[in-house]
Amino acid sequence: KAGVTQTPRYLIKTRGQQVTLSCSPISGHRSVSWYQQTPGQGLQFLFEYFSETQRNKGNFPGRFSGRQFSNSRSEMNVSTLELGDSALYLCASSFDSTGGPDTQYFGPGTRLTVL
Amino acid sequence: DAKTTQPPSMDCAEGRAANLPCNHSTISGNEYVYWYRQIHSQGPQYIIHGLKNNETNEMASLIITEDRKSSTLILPHATLRDTAVYYCIVSSGGYQKVTFGIGTKLQVIP
């Protein structure tokens, strides 16, 4: 099976712009989670989608949003970019076996640089 | 906040066993212990998980204490390629928000 893919891998934007990142989960996986990783804050949970619905959300401002499509592919959007949004954005997918273990598989990430 | 506590860094000699500890004293009965590792700037890689029994796979062994309040990941013969940040997390599955702590930076020394 192909792994989790994320596009683009690298992105450079300027303050005030918006950006959309894409994630294609492993085939058959229904849950997609997004994380932000910065040197100072580590790996922080952004949100999780299942069946096109956001099920969980981390402590990020409303500028961070996402969605999931019927084929489980997901996008996240950051509007009005700030310098502090520079980070590695990671997507993870899982099958979501409710009531049992649910291993997440991570993509390679999108490295966003805000100038 | 992360539900786990790990030492920030550890060294291990190449070829020796690396034992990485993790405390999860508030773990719930339906929460599994997962271990992931992240090699510099790559996405985290799943290693192993367990509920209460010890587990072993081709990568590592997971030892969970009887009270489930702590666990140890064992890499039996560490190689230089095992140098990475290792994360211990607890999760009951898809409905639960997963929080990663700072992890343990393992340095394997030649």
Side-chain angles (χ1 to χ4, degrees):
Chain A
K1 271 187 182 176
V4 177
T5 58
Q6 292 186 245
T7 56
R9 292 292 312 278
Y10 302 91
L11 205 50
I12 299 175
K13 292 285 188 179
T14 57
R15 279 179 297 174
Q17 288 186 308
Q18 75 165 21
V19 66
T20 299
L21 312 181
S22 181
C23 172
S24 292
I26 291 172
S27 177
H29 283 191
R30 302 178 294 177
S31 170
V32 174
S33 298
W34 288 90
Y35 296 83
Q36 181 195 65
Q37 186 171 36
T38 59
Q41 298 295 322
L43 235 164
Q44 293 190 292
F45 174 80
L46 279 157
F47 28 64
E48 185 248 349
Y49 286 87
F50 176 79
S51 290
E52 303 178 62
T53 301
Q54 187 182 91
R55 268 199 313 201
N56 277 304
K57 188 176 188 303
N59 297 322
F60 279 82
R63 300 185 297 108
F64 292 82
S65 63
R67 59 179 175 168
Q68 186 181 34
F69 301 95
S70 58
N71 62 358
S72 293
R73 191 177 70 84
S74 178
E75 289 181 347
M76 69 162 282
N77 183 277
V78 188
S79 62
T80 319
L81 284 166
E82 301 177 0
L83 294 179
D85 296 333
S86 294
L88 180 67
Y89 289 88
L90 291 157
C91 163
S93 76
S94 68
F95 179 75
D96 186 46
S97 52
T98 306
D102 194 41
T103 301
Q104 292 189 74
Y105 295 89
F106 285 80
T110 294
R111 172 75 62 187
L112 172 65
T113 301
V114 182
L115 302 176
Chain B
D1 291 333
K3 296 183 178 182
T4 61
T5 305
Q6 300 175 252
S9 64
M10 291 181 64
D11 290 339
C12 178
E14 189 178 18
R16 304 297 291 269
N19 296 284
L20 292 89
C22 179
N23 286 320
H24 30 80
S25 58
T26 61
I27 191 170
S28 301
N30 64 342
E31 288 182 318
Y32 289 77
V33 179
Y34 290 83
W35 283 84
Y36 290 82
R37 73 180 182 185
Q38 187 175 27
I39 297 170
H40 183 63
S41 292
Q42 297 179 21
Q45 174 192 22
Y46 165 77
I47 300 173
I48 198 167
H49 74 272
L51 184 62
K52 47 181 144 180
N53 297 322
N54 299 337
E55 302 288 345
T56 295
N57 63 19
E58 64 279 3
M59 288 182 69
S61 294
L62 173 60
I63 308 297
I64 303 174
T65 57
E66 195 168 336
D67 63 7
R68 304 213 318 128
K69 292 185 177 182
S70 65
S71 61
T72 301
L73 178 75
I74 301 172
L75 308 177
H77 305 287
T79 71
L80 297 178
R81 286 180 295 182
D82 293 321
T83 292
V85 177
Y86 287 77
Y87 296 98
C88 165
I89 64 170
V90 295
S91 172
S92 61
Y95 284 98
Q96 187 180 55
K97 182 169 64 177
V98 176
T99 302
F100 284 73
I102 61 169
T104 296
K105 186 171 185 179
L106 175 68
Q107 182 71 50
V108 179
I109 303 167

